[in-house]
Structures are given as C-alpha cells and as structure tokens.
Amino acid sequence: MHLSTLLFAIEVGGIVAFAMSGLIEAMRKRMDVVGVFSVAFVSAFGGGTVRDLLLDRRPLFWIEHEPYLWLVLAMAVTAPLWLPMALRETGARLMVVADACGLGLFAISGTSIAASAGMSPLVSALMGATTAIVGGVARDVLCNEVPQVYRDHRPYALCALAGSAAYLGLMALGTGSQWASLAGVLVATGSRLLAVVLDWQLPSWNPRQP
Amino acid sequence: MHLSTLLFAIEVGGIVAFAMSGLIEAMRKRMDVVGVFSVAFVSAFGGGTVRDLLLDRRPLFWIEHEPYLWLVLAMAVTAPLWLPMALRETGARLMVVADACGLGLFAISGTSIAASAGMSPLVSALMGATTAIVGGVARDVLCNEVPQVYRDHRPYALCALAGSAAYLGLMALGTGSQWASLAGVLVATGSRLLAVVLDWQLPSWNPRQP
Amino acid sequence: MHLSTLLFAIEVGGIVAFAMSGLIEAMRKRMDVVGVFSVAFVSAFGGGTVRDLLLDRRPLFWIEHEPYLWLVLAMAVTAPLWLPMALRETGARLMVVADACGLGLFAISGTSIAASAGMSPLVSALMGATTAIVGGVARDVLCNEVPQVYRDHRPYALCALAGSAAYLGLMALGTGSQWASLAGVLVATGSRLLAVVLDWQLPSWNPRQP
C-alpha cells in the first residue's frame, strides 16, 4: 500500500472515530437528529476548524474535502441501524483503536500544517494538540459536561504532543516529511494505545493535597 | 411595500426575537446587566458571526450595520420595563412568530452569502442552518444548558434546511434572487410555524431502543 | 520607570492573574495536567484571541509574543508548588489586584487595537470588554459553570467599559495615546478595585419582580 493511501485511510478512520464519539454522546443526551448530526460534526471537524481559524487558512478542510461532510452526514442519518452493534464489546475496542489513530493523524496533520505556515515548534505542537482534542472538548461542552479529555487522567493530549515532538525532531534532523509524519503518527497513536492497555494515570493537580 | 423593505423588516424582527430569547434565558439565570446584554448579543449575532468567521468575511455583519448593535443594547437596558409584558400569553405567541421569521431570514441570508462566496449547495445550506441556530446554541451554552435546539424534538434546523433547499433549487432553475429569497424564507418560516401549530415530533436517536 | 516598561509589566501581571484564575478553577474541578494547562491558557489568552479573530488580525498576540505562552506553560507545570501559597489570604488579595490590573490593561489594549483598525467607538469599547472578559467566560464554560462575570452582580465588564470610554474620550480630545492609555487603565482598574473594596452591587434583571 502506498504511503499517501495509508495516511488517507487513517484520516478517514479518525474522522469516523471522532464522529462516532459525538454520535454516542448525543444519543446519551437523547438529542434529536439535528443535535446528533451537529455534535458528530463538531466532534469530527471542530479541532481542524479551530486550527484553520487560528492560522487563517481557507477554505476550511471540510469545505475543501466535501466527501468528509457527506460521510458524517450519512453516519448521523444511519446511526440507529448500526450504532447499537458498535456499542458492543468488539465495537468498543475497535473504537478505541480508531480514536487513537484519529488522535495521531490529527495531531501530525495539525503540527505539519502549522510548521509549514512558519509557526515555531511550540506553537506547531500546540496546533497539533488543538486539532486532536478540540473536537472532543466542543462535543462535551455542547453536551453540558466538563470535557472528558481534561479530567480522565489518562494521557491523551500528551500522546499528541509526543507525536508532534517526534515529527518536529525528525524534520529538524532532515528526515523527509513523509517518514517524519509516519513516525509522528506512530508515536502518538502507539503511546495512546499503550496508555489505554497499561492504564497509565496522570496525577491530578490538587491544591488541597500538594 | 417594496421587497427590500420587507426583508429588512423581517431581519430586524429576527434580531429582536433572537435577542429576546437571550434576555429571557439570562434573566431566568438571574444574571446581571452585563450577562443579560452578553447573552442577548450572542443569541442575536452569534450565528451570523460564526458564519462570517468560517467564510472569512469582514467586516462582520453587526459591525457593518451598527444600528443592530444599538438595538440590542437598548433592548437589554430597557428589558425590565417591557419584558414582563412580553412574557404574557399574547407576547409569547408573538415571539414564536418573530422567532420563526428570524429563522427563515437568517437561514436564507446565510445560504445566499455562502452560495455567492462560491460554496457548494451542501456547504451553503449548512451555513444557512449555522446562521439560524448557532446563536441559540451559544445562548444555551453560556446559560449552562444542553442546547434546546438539539433536544426539543421539534423541527427547527430542518425547517432552515428546507428553506435553503427551496432557495438553492429556485436559483438553480434561474429564478431571480429576490423571488428565490422570498420563497426560501416562506418555506423555512412557514414550515416552522406549521411544526409548532401541529406539534410535529422528530424521533430521538436512542441507542437502547433502536 | 519608563511608560512602556510599566505597561509591559501590567500586561504580564494581567496574564499571570488570568492564568491563575484558570489554574484555580481547573484544580477545583480536579482536572489533570492537560485540563489545567488548557483552562489556564484559555483564561489568559481567550479574550485577546477572540478579539483578533473578530478583527481578522494575524499573527495572534500569543503567537507574536511567544514568551507569554512559555510563561503560562511554566505556571501550569509548577502550579502544585506555589498555588497553595497563592490561595492563602495575602495571595488572594494580591490576585484581586492583579486581576483588576489585567482587566484594565486588556480592556485598553483591546479598545486601542480596535480603534486603530477603524472601528467605531461603540465597537471599539465592546472589543475592549471582549478582550477583558471572554477569557473568564470561556474558562467557566470549560468548567461547566454559568460564567461568573455574568452573575456575580459586581461591576466588572462595566469597569472595562468605563476605562474604554475614558480612553476614547481623551483620544477624541487630542490627548497623546500613551496618556490616554494610562488614564483608561487607571479608570478601569481603579473602578474595579473600588467596586471590590466598597462591595458595589448591580441590580439583577428579574422578570418576576420588575
């Protein structure tokens, strides 16, 4: 399989995984079809949209790649048919994997877009993390919850940052951008999967018990 | 009455209706004058602002038409004088009508602006719905509620999409933009009023009972 | 001390104060390190970022002044070491003062940036208030609370508006921009400190008891 085909497949997998997390949350809140589509849309495209707004890039990536939009629309409309299946155990495991792939791809695409727009390494890495996590944050805000990524105490954004660091480091060493991208995605996605499997915990920042 | 005067009157009616919905919500939450103005402002201008940001249009529409800003400011400051009256039954009915007019006008103005910026029909219709509903979504997020438009199970955004489809269809058939706009507003506003009067229900997307 | 040094010191003080308010809120919600940094970041930079997006200014101010970013990052990482101290009484008082300084500086910087971009006085004053309060609003939305600035019934945004009005009035009278800025900051910060010390109350907008 060619590298660009692989990256495209991962990107679609990430959009599907992020949209699915939105579908599940919206259904738990018993939203109607409009709410379900809106939350799925925001989950899948929110991070990249905020990145594009902050960097002043147009057209937005989901306007440039309109099939992504049709994909999420189709998922929302057909959700009652397949979502119960996806919620069973095998589906839930598949979703963790898809979500980790989305995390890695979104982090590296955000980082590389920012770096090629002339941003510093710190800002580029933050743009990668923004692309990866803001969709989930917006999903939880619309569902009236404290964002899960801020309180689940397992590394998620940190995996995105690790992947971005790997990508930026390899680019600085002169590695070709395709190999640096692949390594970055592998670091982000792999560390996330390890964190889930091994149940790594982040300390909470508790002012009462310093 | 001339067509453009009619459209202007509807637009002002929509801003008044959306601002009023924000005033009512903010007062229910016992906010102070700053909260009341902010929520009214976001309810009235949030949808169009997000549309303008996504399409990269400047100046924003409420900066271009500053009297709209003074109108909402005046409404927030004088609200204690007239709002109790507006909450009685006749006022509540009037507000449903004004809100439906606002829905139609905002949907068509958003759709036509996006279409004339070269967006595809799907993106244009989504921009119309965004213009019509994001103000209400932002109002509910600021008031710490799950957005009403996502959970009331009566068609609202779908009416906006129906109006946008009518507008885009007529434009594709070569109808003049004024007539297509009028037809689109009538479809969106009319279907919303019918939905309220006849109490149409949308199914909820419930994963437990598929 | 030179005037520009003074203004720089106040700006850093404002960022520190706003970031600290985010750190405290995020810790109360028992967020992890990612949540703590994100909320601190949004509290400190959210207002200016929204202002820059609305006015279409790039690079964003925290991208232009990257040391601000490192400052907030360092604060989030080291928070467990010093935050308990900052929460004691002397620290709390210091924070009120720093927050009031931040309010004044952010209000005047927002107003002057908008005015020099050709905005009207009303829009410029609103941009000043936006710069000063949106960070705190976004912090509270992320922490799933009704924004404090909308419901604490003590003047905050109004102090920002008073400072902006003083700045715009002096500029219209031909005062040099440095003196007008200083006067605006003093009015905003001073009125806020007075409001806290004298416990000024704003009326709530209550539809039941008009």
Side-chain angles (χ1 to χ4, degrees):
Chain A
M1 188 154 54
H2 198 271
L3 180 63
S4 67
T5 317
L6 175 69
L7 287 176
F8 174 76
I10 295 177
E11 183 167 41
V12 171
I15 290 174
V16 166
F18 284 148
M20 210 182 299
S21 75
L23 292 176
I24 292 169
E25 270 302 294
M27 286 183 177
R28 271 198 199 127
K29 293 280 173 177
R30 305 195 156 262
M31 289 183 178
D32 57 34
V33 60
V34 170
V36 166
F37 171 70
S38 298
V39 174
F41 176 91
V42 162
S43 304
F45 300 134
T49 301
V50 168
R51 174 203 63 212
D52 287 353
L53 287 176
L54 294 178
L55 293 176
D56 208 13
R57 297 178 76 236
R58 299 295 189 295
L60 300 172
F61 78 106
W62 48 270
I63 290 179
E64 202 175 354
H65 303 289
E66 195 170 309
Y68 293 167
L69 211 48
W70 288 104
L71 174 65
V72 173
L73 192 54
M75 286 177 68
V77 170
T78 61
L81 302 176
W82 53 265
L83 201 70
M85 204 175 63
L87 291 177
R88 281 188 220 131
E89 198 166 333
T90 325
R93 276 188 201 158
L94 193 70
M95 202 177 129
V96 168
V97 174
D99 182 74
C101 289
L103 172 72
L105 190 286
F106 278 28
I108 301 309
S109 74
T111 302
S112 65
I113 285 169
S116 66
M119 297 292 131
S120 72
L122 174 63
V123 171
S124 298
L126 282 179
M127 289 290 169
T130 297
T131 309
I133 75 169
V134 164
V137 169
R139 175 198 66 210
D140 294 343
V141 166
L142 288 178
C143 290
N144 203 17
E145 306 277 358
V146 175
Q148 199 193 333
V149 67
Y150 291 173
R151 66 190 154 90
D152 84 340
H153 296 97
R154 265 178 306 185
Y156 189 88
L158 291 180
C159 300
L161 290 174
S164 298
Y167 168 83
L168 292 168
L170 288 172
M171 289 296 281
L173 293 173
T175 315
S177 79
Q178 288 205 322
W179 292 110
S181 298
L182 193 61
V185 172
L186 288 176
V187 168
T189 299
S191 61
R192 173 61 185 169
L193 288 175
L194 277 177
V196 171
V197 170
L198 303 178
D199 198 23
W200 288 344
Q201 296 279 325
L202 290 176
S204 74
W205 255 218
N206 187 343
R208 304 285 154 198
Q209 302 150 4
Chain B
M1 188 153 56
H2 198 270
L3 181 63
S4 67
T5 317
L6 176 68
L7 288 177
F8 175 74
I10 295 177
E11 184 167 40
V12 171
I15 290 173
V16 167
F18 284 146
M20 212 182 299
S21 75
L23 293 177
I24 293 169
E25 271 301 295
M27 286 183 178
R28 274 200 196 123
K29 293 280 175 179
R30 304 195 157 262
M31 289 183 178
D32 57 33
V33 60
V34 169
V36 167
F37 171 70
S38 299
V39 174
F41 177 91
V42 162
S43 304
F45 300 135
T49 300
V50 168
R51 176 202 62 213
D52 287 353
L53 288 176
L54 294 178
L55 294 176
D56 208 12
R57 296 178 77 237
R58 298 295 187 296
L60 300 172
F61 78 107
W62 48 269
I63 290 178
E64 201 175 355
H65 303 289
E66 195 170 309
Y68 292 167
L69 210 50
W70 287 105
L71 174 66
V72 172
L73 193 54
M75 284 177 69
V77 169
T78 62
L81 302 177
W82 53 265
L83 201 72
M85 203 175 62
L87 289 178
R88 281 188 220 131
E89 199 166 331
T90 326
R93 277 188 201 158
L94 193 69
M95 201 178 130
V96 168
V97 174
D99 182 73
C101 288
L103 172 72
L105 190 285
F106 278 27
I108 302 309
S109 74
T111 303
S112 65
I113 285 169
S116 66
M119 297 292 131
S120 72
L122 175 62
V123 171
S124 298
L126 283 179
M127 288 292 170
T130 297
T131 309
I133 76 170
V134 164
V137 170
R139 173 199 67 209
D140 294 343
V141 166
L142 288 178
C143 290
N144 201 16
E145 305 277 356
V146 174
Q148 198 193 334
V149 67
Y150 292 171
R151 67 189 154 90
D152 84 339
H153 296 97
R154 266 178 305 184
Y156 189 88
L158 292 180
C159 300
L161 291 174
S164 298
Y167 168 83
L168 293 167
L170 287 172
M171 289 295 282
L173 293 173
T175 314
S177 81
Q178 286 205 323
W179 293 108
S181 298
L182 193 61
V185 172
L186 288 176
V187 168
T189 299
S191 61
R192 172 61 184 168
L193 288 176
L194 276 177
V196 171
V197 169
L198 303 177
D199 198 22
W200 289 344
Q201 296 278 326
L202 290 176
S204 75
W205 257 218
N206 187 341
R208 302 286 154 198
Q209 304 149 5
Chain C
M1 187 154 56
H2 199 270
L3 181 62
S4 67
T5 317
L6 176 67
L7 288 176
F8 176 75
I10 295 178
E11 184 167 41
V12 171
I15 289 172
V16 167
F18 285 148
M20 211 183 298
S21 74
L23 292 176
I24 293 170
E25 269 303 294
M27 286 183 179
R28 273 201 198 125
K29 294 279 173 178
R30 304 193 156 264
M31 290 183 177
D32 57 33
V33 61
V34 170
V36 166
F37 171 69
S38 299
V39 174
F41 176 90
V42 161
S43 304
F45 299 134
T49 301
V50 168
R51 176 202 63 212
D52 286 354
L53 287 176
L54 295 178
L55 294 175
D56 209 12
R57 296 177 76 236
R58 298 292 189 297
L60 300 172
F61 79 105
W62 49 270
I63 290 179
E64 201 175 353
H65 303 289
E66 195 170 310
Y68 292 167
L69 211 49
W70 287 105
L71 174 66
V72 172
L73 193 55
M75 284 177 68
V77 170
T78 60
L81 302 177
W82 54 265
L83 201 71
M85 203 176 61
L87 290 176
R88 279 187 221 132
E89 198 167 334
T90 326
R93 275 188 202 158
L94 194 70
M95 202 179 131
V96 169
V97 173
D99 182 74
C101 290
L103 172 72
L105 191 285
F106 278 28
I108 301 310
S109 74
T111 302
S112 65
I113 285 170
S116 66
M119 297 292 131
S120 71
L122 175 63
V123 171
S124 298
L126 283 179
M127 288 292 169
T130 297
T131 309
I133 77 170
V134 164
V137 169
R139 174 198 66 209
D140 294 343
V141 166
L142 288 178
C143 290
N144 202 17
E145 305 278 355
V146 174
Q148 199 193 334
V149 66
Y150 291 174
R151 66 190 154 91
D152 84 340
H153 296 98
R154 266 178 305 185
Y156 189 87
L158 292 180
C159 300
L161 291 174
S164 298
Y167 168 83
L168 293 168
L170 287 173
M171 289 295 281
L173 293 173
T175 315
S177 81
Q178 288 204 323
W179 293 110
S181 299
L182 192 61
V185 172
L186 289 176
V187 167
T189 298
S191 61
R192 174 61 185 169
L193 289 175
L194 276 177
V196 171
V197 170
L198 304 177
D199 198 22
W200 288 344
Q201 295 279 324
L202 289 177
S204 75
W205 254 220
N206 187 344
R208 302 286 154 198
Q209 302 150 5

XYZ file of all heavy atoms in Angstrom, chain B residues 106-154:
345
model
N -32.592 34.412 8.625
C -31.192 34.102 8.898
C -30.735 32.921 8.040
O -29.612 32.906 7.527
C -30.986 33.797 10.376
C -30.841 35.016 11.248
C -31.416 36.235 10.892
C -30.133 34.976 12.440
C -31.283 37.365 11.697
C -29.988 36.097 13.247
C -30.570 37.287 12.882
N -31.610 31.930 7.877
C -31.239 30.764 7.060
C -30.968 31.185 5.620
O -29.951 30.789 5.026
C -32.350 29.711 7.114
N -31.855 31.998 5.059
C -31.691 32.369 3.650
C -30.540 33.348 3.474
O -29.769 33.244 2.504
C -33.008 32.943 3.081
C -34.134 31.917 3.227
C -32.841 33.343 1.627
C -33.811 30.542 2.690
N -30.388 34.289 4.419
C -29.254 35.219 4.271
C -27.934 34.452 4.367
O -27.010 34.690 3.575
C -29.331 36.346 5.298
O -28.995 35.884 6.579
N -27.857 33.484 5.287
C -26.638 32.689 5.407
C -26.375 31.860 4.165
O -25.241 31.795 3.666
N -27.426 31.233 3.634
C -27.270 30.396 2.448
C -26.831 31.225 1.246
O -25.930 30.834 0.494
C -28.598 29.676 2.138
O -28.989 28.917 3.281
C -28.469 28.760 0.945
N -27.479 32.394 1.068
C -27.162 33.180 -0.133
C -25.761 33.773 -0.047
O -25.039 33.847 -1.041
C -28.221 34.265 -0.354
O -28.180 35.198 0.691
N -25.361 34.163 1.154
C -23.999 34.689 1.314
C -22.968 33.603 0.999
O -21.979 33.850 0.298
C -23.809 35.242 2.745
C -24.539 36.584 2.879
C -22.339 35.390 3.091
C -24.636 37.093 4.298
N -23.217 32.390 1.499
C -22.270 31.292 1.249
C -22.257 30.913 -0.232
O -21.187 30.687 -0.820
C -22.626 30.082 2.105
N -23.451 30.842 -0.849
C -23.500 30.466 -2.264
C -22.782 31.492 -3.124
O -22.044 31.135 -4.055
C -24.952 30.309 -2.713
N -22.962 32.783 -2.799
C -22.299 33.800 -3.617
C -20.807 33.861 -3.330
O -20.047 34.474 -4.078
C -22.963 35.160 -3.422
O -22.768 35.592 -2.108
N -20.353 33.224 -2.241
C -18.910 33.096 -1.995
C -18.357 31.826 -2.649
O -17.201 31.461 -2.414
C -18.635 33.077 -0.488
N -19.189 31.151 -3.472
C -18.692 30.006 -4.225
C -18.784 28.673 -3.512
O -18.201 27.682 -3.964
N -19.507 28.599 -2.402
C -19.619 27.337 -1.673
C -20.577 26.391 -2.416
O -21.472 26.822 -3.132
C -20.164 27.578 -0.253
C -19.274 28.433 0.615
S -17.724 27.593 1.048
C -16.534 28.883 0.624
N -20.399 25.092 -2.190
C -21.281 24.078 -2.791
C -22.667 24.158 -2.148
O -22.825 24.767 -1.084
C -20.681 22.696 -2.553
O -20.835 22.364 -1.195
N -23.691 23.549 -2.783
C -25.026 23.576 -2.180
C -25.059 23.020 -0.759
O -25.687 23.613 0.127
C -25.857 22.715 -3.142
C -25.180 22.872 -4.458
C -23.713 22.970 -4.147
N -24.362 21.901 -0.511
C -24.396 21.341 0.840
C -23.805 22.317 1.855
O -24.397 22.577 2.912
C -23.624 20.010 0.889
C -23.493 19.380 2.280
C -24.845 19.021 2.873
C -22.587 18.144 2.244
N -22.627 22.868 1.527
C -21.992 23.803 2.460
C -22.856 25.051 2.619
O -23.017 25.584 3.733
C -20.568 24.157 1.974
C -19.980 25.289 2.808
C -19.668 22.936 2.047
N -23.464 25.535 1.523
C -24.309 26.730 1.614
C -25.498 26.489 2.536
O -25.842 27.346 3.365
C -24.813 27.133 0.224
O -23.725 27.460 -0.616
N -26.131 25.326 2.385
C -27.283 25.028 3.244
C -26.849 24.912 4.705
O -27.534 25.390 5.611
C -27.969 23.745 2.788
N -25.673 24.298 4.939
C -25.178 24.198 6.316
C -24.869 25.577 6.896
O -25.079 25.822 8.081
C -23.922 23.325 6.379
C -24.142 21.824 6.297
C -22.817 21.093 6.358
C -25.046 21.344 7.439
N -24.343 26.489 6.057
C -24.062 27.846 6.538
C -25.372 28.559 6.881
O -25.434 29.339 7.832
C -23.303 28.644 5.478
C -21.867 28.205 5.289
S -20.853 28.590 6.738
C -19.360 27.688 6.304
N -26.425 28.290 6.097
C -27.718 28.867 6.433
C -28.217 28.361 7.782
O -28.635 29.145 8.649
N -28.132 27.048 7.979
C -28.579 26.490 9.257
C -27.703 27.006 10.401
O -28.203 27.312 11.493
C -28.549 24.963 9.205
N -26.391 27.118 10.141
C -25.481 27.656 11.156
C -25.902 29.063 11.566
O -25.986 29.389 12.754
C -24.042 27.693 10.586
O -23.643 26.365 10.305
C -23.081 28.341 11.551
N -26.174 29.917 10.567
C -26.588 31.288 10.858
C -27.857 31.293 11.709
O -28.016 32.118 12.612
C -26.847 32.036 9.540
O -25.723 31.873 8.684
C -27.086 33.513 9.781
N -28.757 30.346 11.413
C -30.048 30.347 12.101
C -29.973 29.759 13.507
O -30.695 30.207 14.394
C -31.080 29.574 11.273
N -29.116 28.764 13.742
C -29.206 28.078 15.041
C -28.055 28.335 16.001
O -28.207 28.146 17.197
C -29.407 26.543 14.891
C -28.133 25.806 14.506
C -30.547 26.218 13.929
C -28.253 24.291 14.580
N -26.883 28.784 15.504
C -25.727 28.866 16.400
C -25.924 29.904 17.503
O -25.435 29.732 18.626
C -24.430 29.108 15.603
C -23.305 29.567 16.502
C -24.020 27.822 14.899
N -26.673 30.979 17.205
C -26.954 31.961 18.252
C -27.663 31.317 19.434
O -27.282 31.530 20.597
N -28.665 30.503 19.152
C -29.392 29.828 20.226
C -28.539 28.801 20.943
O -28.650 28.636 22.166
N -27.683 28.111 20.187
C -26.785 27.139 20.813
C -25.828 27.839 21.772
O -25.635 27.408 22.921
C -26.001 26.348 19.732
C -24.893 25.522 20.369
C -26.951 25.444 18.945
N -25.233 28.943 21.319
C -24.292 29.685 22.171
C -25.004 30.242 23.401
O -24.450 30.228 24.503
C -23.629 30.812 21.373
N -26.239 30.723 23.206
C -27.025 31.211 24.359
C -27.148 30.116 25.414
O -26.893 30.354 26.594
C -28.414 31.611 23.849
C -29.402 31.987 24.955
C -30.841 31.909 24.430
N -31.200 30.530 24.122
C -32.078 30.154 23.181
N -32.677 31.056 22.426
N -32.335 28.873 22.973
N -27.492 28.890 24.983
C -27.710 27.816 25.949
C -26.407 27.350 26.581
O -26.383 26.975 27.758
C -28.430 26.648 25.269
C -29.846 27.038 24.836
O -30.360 28.057 25.335
O -30.426 26.340 23.993
N -25.296 27.375 25.808
C -24.002 27.010 26.379
C -23.615 28.018 27.465
O -23.184 27.641 28.554
C -22.914 26.925 25.287
C -21.527 26.890 25.900
C -23.142 25.695 24.416
N -23.810 29.308 27.198
C -23.468 30.329 28.189
C -24.359 30.203 29.431
O -23.949 30.542 30.532
C -23.613 31.734 27.600
C -22.548 32.142 26.586
C -22.846 33.529 26.048
C -21.163 32.138 27.225
N -25.589 29.745 29.239
C -26.505 29.571 30.373
C -26.369 28.186 30.991
O -27.163 27.810 31.848
C -27.947 29.819 29.930
S -28.239 31.562 29.557
N -25.356 27.427 30.564
C -25.043 26.111 31.136
C -26.184 25.114 30.967
O -26.571 24.411 31.901
C -24.662 26.269 32.611
C -23.845 25.099 33.136
O -23.305 24.322 32.343
N -23.750 24.968 34.435
N -26.770 25.060 29.764
C -27.827 24.105 29.432
C -27.415 23.336 28.180
O -26.661 23.848 27.350
C -29.139 24.848 29.093
C -29.631 25.800 30.131
C -30.423 25.100 31.216
O -30.632 23.884 31.078
O -30.802 25.760 32.192
N -27.939 22.098 28.039
C -27.823 21.425 26.749
C -28.636 22.237 25.741
O -29.770 22.622 26.028
C -28.360 19.983 26.836
C -28.363 19.333 25.460
C -27.527 19.161 27.790
N -28.064 22.558 24.570
C -28.797 23.420 23.619
C -30.206 22.901 23.328
O -30.394 21.733 23.004
C -27.904 23.391 22.383
C -26.534 23.187 22.927
C -26.716 22.263 24.097
N -31.172 23.804 23.458
C -32.575 23.445 23.284
C -32.839 22.915 21.879
O -33.616 21.991 21.694
C -33.420 24.696 23.537
C -34.873 24.360 23.812
C -35.732 25.593 23.746
O -35.265 26.711 23.961
N -37.013 25.405 23.462
N -32.168 23.525 20.889
C -32.440 23.141 19.512
C -32.019 21.701 19.241
O -32.468 21.076 18.297
C -31.741 24.121 18.546
C -30.241 23.986 18.639
C -32.193 23.923 17.127
N -31.146 21.148 20.116
C -30.682 19.770 19.919
C -31.586 18.753 20.597
O -31.425 17.548 20.409
C -29.276 19.586 20.487
C -28.197 20.313 19.748
C -26.911 20.373 20.270
C -28.439 20.954 18.539
C -25.902 21.039 19.611
C -27.434 21.628 17.881
C -26.171 21.666 18.420
O -25.175 22.333 17.774
N -32.482 19.208 21.469
C -33.214 18.213 22.249
C -34.715 18.454 22.309
O -35.421 17.723 22.965
C -32.637 18.141 23.667
C -32.859 19.387 24.471
C -32.092 19.379 25.782
N -31.863 20.753 26.166
C -32.699 21.470 26.930
N -33.777 20.949 27.432
N -32.432 22.737 27.205
N -35.245 19.480 21.611
C -36.694 19.686 21.787
C -37.518 18.812 20.848
O -38.746 18.775 20.950
C -37.070 21.161 21.692
C -37.270 21.634 20.289
O -36.749 20.985 19.341
O -37.923 22.651 20.103
N -36.841 18.115 19.924
C -37.526 17.124 19.096
C -38.647 17.704 18.249
O -39.515 16.996 17.795
C -38.064 15.953 19.952
C -36.948 15.192 20.588
N -36.545 15.412 21.866
C -36.127 14.243 20.096
C -35.527 14.613 22.165
N -35.242 13.909 21.104
N -38.628 19.037 18.027
C -39.496 19.594 17.014
C -38.614 20.179 15.936
O -37.554 20.729 16.221
C -40.398 20.683 17.605
C -41.736 20.102 18.026
C -42.598 21.141 18.655
N -41.895 21.763 19.766
C -42.458 22.666 20.550
N -43.687 23.053 20.345
N -41.784 23.192 21.542
